[in-house]
Amino acid sequence: MNFKDYLKSSLNKADFQRVWDSFFEPKSVGFYLNLLKFDKDYIISNLDDLGVEFREILPNFYLCKAEFKEILTHSELFNKGAIYIQNPSSYLAVLALNPAKNDIVLDMCASPGGKSIALANMMGYGADLAVMESDSKRFYTLKANLNKYGCEWVRTYNKDARSISRSCVGRFDKILLDAPCSSYSHFGDGFVEKSAKEIKSLSKLQKQLLNSALSALKPGGCVVYSTCTFFECENEEVIQNALRSKFDINIQPISFGLKSEIVSEFGLRILPDCDMDAFFLAKIVKNN
Ligand SMILES: C[S@@+](CC[C@H](N)C(=O)[O-])C[C@H]1O[C@@H](n2cnc3c(N)ncnc32)[C@H](O)[C@@H]1O
């Protein structure tokens, strides 16, 4: 499936041009502070010493211009795990889940761990957080990152997350499902085009993963489903499929008041711009 053609057909002319141009513009750099290992004042004063100009755009999440990226990635703060570099769109998934200190939480598709570490920061040291990753190589990257960022207590499972529909029925208060997707959100050296067959098979996997998440959720609990792709069959269609399933669920509206967001009955789309990557988010509550 040609991504550019798909984008043209799914957006109006002005939005298409804005979105397409955004893939070639320098992107701001986002990061959050790792308060599990370091004190906020210590990190902020070290960033000031490095000459990085930054502003807080979300709770504990900061943005600076692209020109500061190299300073950040070469800094001791980064090497010691005091900051985690992440696009703000990804951080929104963690904010939407909003886990409390005493919640039992699962991050189903976790590597390299950017959202798991943000969840751990929000919940606090020792909180009941488990993370899963099916790919062995990516699992070891996840473990290494959790250790680097002082999250060694987090329980890690190198497993296919679809298995929780049998092993963990009704166990979790909150689940993050940041699903594997076709990833048409970063241009990089070009988009790696995926065939219609590959997209269909991803959509099938996403539906199975969401079904498993709903089985493993406590009544009253919630799942945040997210992807970084534009394709409807990986986003709204996955949510519609869950609404048609045996689960008694409803979709909670989410909005962060961003100029780049499009709200629908199935979730929230973020259109990419100079700050945000393309993203889709849906918050699904399992009724009591
Ligand atoms: C979008 S990435 C996750 C990014 C991660 N949440 C973060 O913020 O750093 C999706 C991950 O899901 C993993 N994955 C794919 N299929 C899976 C499955 N069936 N069970 C668990 N993990 C899976 C992929 O290997 C990949 O690492």
Side-chain angles (χ1 to χ4, degrees), residues 90-148:
S90 288
Y91 195 72
L92 294 181
V94 175
L95 287 183
L97 194 68
N98 192 25
K101 194 171 184 276
N102 295 320
D103 280 338
I104 303 174
V105 177
L106 173 68
D107 183 356
M108 281 175 82
C109 296
S111 186
K115 296 184 189 69
S116 312
I117 296 161
L119 288 170
N121 263 279
M122 216 175 251
M123 296 173 75
Y125 192 85
D128 194 339
L129 173 63
V131 302
M132 296 185 99
E133 169 58 50
S134 60
D135 181 285
S136 302
K137 211 166 149 208
R138 289 179 65 85
F139 177 75
Y140 286 104
T141 305
L142 170 66
K143 291 262 310 175
N145 275 333
L146 289 171
N147 286 338
K148 172 178 171 185

Side-chain angles (χ1 to χ4, degrees), residues 238-258:
V238 176
I239 307 305
Q240 280 171 293
N241 182 69
L243 285 167
R244 283 193 300 264
S245 71
K246 62 178 180 184
F247 298 103
D248 179 14
I249 55 173
N250 69 75
I251 311 302
Q252 274 207 345
I254 330 173
S255 169
F256 295 94
L258 303 167

